[in-house]
Amino acid sequence: MSPLSNVSSLLDKSGRKILYIAAMAVFIIMGGVTASLYMLRSEAVDTHMKLAALHASTFADQLEQTVAALDYTLDTFDASQRGEYSMEQLQELLNNSPFIRSIGILDENGKIIADSTPSNIGLTILTKGFFPIPAFDEPILRFSPIWEGRGFFDGHQADKKTVSADSLTFLPTIKQFQNGKNSGYIAVTLNTEYFQRKYKQNLPINTGYVDIYLLDGSLLFSTDPSAVLGKSSDTQIKNLLSKGMDATYAEDDKNTKRNLVSLKIAKNYPLAVCVRLPYDRTLAEWEKQRKNVLAITATLVILSVTLALLLYIRSKEQQKLEEGLLKSKMTAKGEMISMIAHQWRQPLAALSAILANIVDGYKYNELTDEYIEKTSKQA
């Protein structure tokens, strides 16, 4: 038998009615509190989506400023008209830019003829593999998919082999130049570790992740250690990148860990920043507070209902006790009255018998002075 049934058996019909009403009130109150908490949950999700959008916008602006500074530096880079390139110039540029790993000069065929990393000299880079491909022969900054390794001399492109996000990687960029009779490319490899450290400082991995994409869908680098660099496997992000659209949304795929995602595309370069805030981490504090609120509310409601029932039961017991005392008093009064009546009935009965004898004596002419005196004394 359930506790509710046990309590119900102690109550009368009115009490059971109150008990059921109280149980219904508990159900309604807890339902209302739960609904209110889930409304607050929606507000918490909206707030974190705005936070993700703010992070994405900030990181995209920072990335674009860094790339714009590199673009300007390459525009002003002094290449000798005689085809002689100073290693000192390359090294000076490298030293002034912590986000650059190496800088080199390529001829028209993509062969490295000068480089701050001597091991790269003599290697040939496929310049057609850089994105975007210019419609005309114009000097624009172009980006390659991510490479694994320390440099071109020991590296390989990510689409040729699976590369994890925590591998040693670099991002090659090139820009065409025309300096008198000399033409070719300036090749700069960006240090992805620099950007990862920077993003991890602003958005720790226990809070969320930052991904950088090329507009062709290639994942360049990520602060998520489990990410695989190269081609993106996220269909929704691919579609957004192909359309050049910014977006902030909550993932609907329940088969994987859900994220709050904000994608921000750079204005002047084929790059995009994606910020992912995991659901379980984002709402962890809310879930904790929700459980606390539900526990406190349930405890208070149950205690209130229990107290009300105890007061009701006590009032009923007091009422029964009073009724029992009243009944005892009435019984005692009845016994007292019965005893008094008995005390009255005995002399009255004797007197009635004497009067009956007098009447009989009168009928039979037996009334004498001695009889009258005797019966008077008896009365």
Side-chain angles (χ1 to χ4, degrees):
M1 186 179 291
S2 65
L4 184 62
S5 300
N6 291 332
V7 175
S8 178
S9 63
L10 300 175
L11 303 176
D12 56 12
K13 183 177 181 181
S14 177
R16 288 194 293 271
K17 183 177 181 181
I18 292 175
L19 178 62
Y20 293 138
I21 292 174
M24 184 65 68
V26 171
F27 178 78
I28 294 173
I29 291 172
M30 294 304 298
V33 171
T34 302
S36 299
L37 287 174
Y38 272 96
M39 289 177 64
L40 294 175
R41 180 180 185 276
S42 299
E43 292 181 4
V45 171
D46 291 340
T47 300
H48 282 86
M49 288 182 69
K50 292 178 182 177
L51 182 62
L54 179 61
H55 279 305
S57 179
T58 301
F59 294 153
D61 290 342
Q62 292 175 352
L63 179 63
E64 186 154 8
Q65 290 172 7
T66 301
V67 174
L70 172 64
D71 200 3
Y72 175 78
T73 301
L74 296 183
D75 283 339
T76 58
F77 186 72
D78 184 21
S80 171
Q81 295 184 9
R82 294 175 299 175
E84 297 176 357
Y85 304 97
S86 169
M87 293 294 292
E88 289 76 10
Q89 288 178 314
L90 298 179
Q91 194 62 43
E92 181 181 0
L93 178 59
L94 181 65
N95 294 337
N96 293 332
S97 303
F99 55 88
I100 295 178
R101 181 171 293 178
S102 68
I103 181 168
I105 304 299
L106 283 62
D107 63 16
E108 292 181 342
N109 297 320
K111 183 178 181 180
I112 301 176
I113 56 178
D115 200 289
S116 60
T117 302
S119 300
N120 290 332
I121 298 175
L123 299 176
T124 300
I125 306 303
L126 183 62
T127 58
K128 292 183 179 180
F130 287 74
F131 183 85
I133 300 176
F136 303 98
D137 192 16
E138 54 181 329
I140 61 173
L141 190 64
R142 298 162 60 193
F143 300 82
S144 165
I146 201 73
W147 281 54
E148 182 179 17
R150 290 171 295 174
F152 292 118
F153 66 94
D154 68 345
H156 62 84
Q157 199 167 323
D159 59 358
K160 297 179 181 179
K161 183 181 177 182
T162 300
V163 177
S164 61
D166 56 357
S167 300
L168 180 63
T169 59
F170 62 92
L171 177 63
T173 63
I174 61 171
K175 188 167 187 178
Q176 192 173 15
F177 69 86
Q178 182 73 38
N179 192 352
K181 294 181 181 180
N182 299 320
S183 62
Y185 302 91
I186 302 177
V188 175
T189 61
L190 299 182
N191 184 5
T192 55
E193 292 181 0
Y194 168 84
F195 294 98
Q196 287 181 339
R197 287 194 301 268
K198 188 174 182 180
Y199 293 136
K200 287 179 181 178
Q201 289 175 355
N202 291 278
L203 187 67
I205 58 175
N206 60 348
T207 302
Y209 305 111
V210 182
D211 307 320
I212 306 298
Y213 287 92
L214 267 178
L215 290 189
D216 67 349
S218 300
L219 179 60
L220 299 180
F221 53 89
S222 173
T223 60
D224 184 357
S226 64
V228 178
L229 306 183
K231 295 296 182 181
S232 171
S233 60
D234 191 312
T235 304
Q236 191 164 2
I237 288 182
K238 282 183 181 179
N239 293 335
L240 292 171
L241 291 174
S242 64
K243 298 175 183 178
M245 294 175 56
D246 298 338
T248 300
Y249 59 92
E251 290 180 333
D252 295 328
D253 188 2
K254 296 182 179 179
N255 296 324
T256 59
K257 290 185 177 181
R258 300 179 65 192
N259 295 289
L260 301 177
V261 180
S262 182
L263 183 69
K264 180 69 176 180
I265 297 176
K267 297 178 182 178
N268 301 311
Y269 299 98
L271 301 171
V273 176
C274 179
V275 172
R276 293 180 287 124
L277 302 181
Y279 248 77
D280 52 353
R281 297 177 189 170
T282 300
L283 299 178
E285 185 62 26
W286 179 89
E287 287 288 346
K288 181 180 178 181
Q289 296 300 329
R290 179 183 70 87
K291 291 178 181 178
N292 290 339
V293 170
L294 284 175
I296 293 172
T297 302
T299 302
L300 291 176
V301 170
I302 292 173
L303 287 176
S304 300
V305 172
T306 303
L307 180 60
L309 288 174
L310 289 175
L311 291 175
Y312 176 81
I313 292 173
R314 183 166 182 177
S315 67
K316 282 294 184 180
E317 291 177 348
Q318 185 68 25
Q319 182 179 354
K320 290 181 179 179
L321 180 60
E322 291 177 355
E323 290 177 353
L325 291 174
L326 180 60
K327 186 175 181 181
S328 297
K329 289 180 180 180
M330 294 299 294
T331 302
K333 288 180 180 180
E335 292 176 352
M336 185 180 293
I337 292 173
S338 177
M339 188 167 56
I340 293 172
H342 177 70
Q343 295 296 328
W344 275 91
R345 280 196 297 270
Q346 284 182 338
L348 290 176
L351 186 59
S352 177
I354 292 171
L355 293 175
N357 289 334
I358 293 173
V359 172
D360 290 341
Y362 174 77
K363 288 182 179 180
Y364 297 105
N365 294 318
E366 294 178 353
L367 291 178
T368 63
D369 293 337
E370 293 82 8
Y371 183 78
I372 293 298
E373 184 179 357
K374 178 182 180 182
T375 54
S376 296
K377 288 178 179 181
Q378 289 176 348

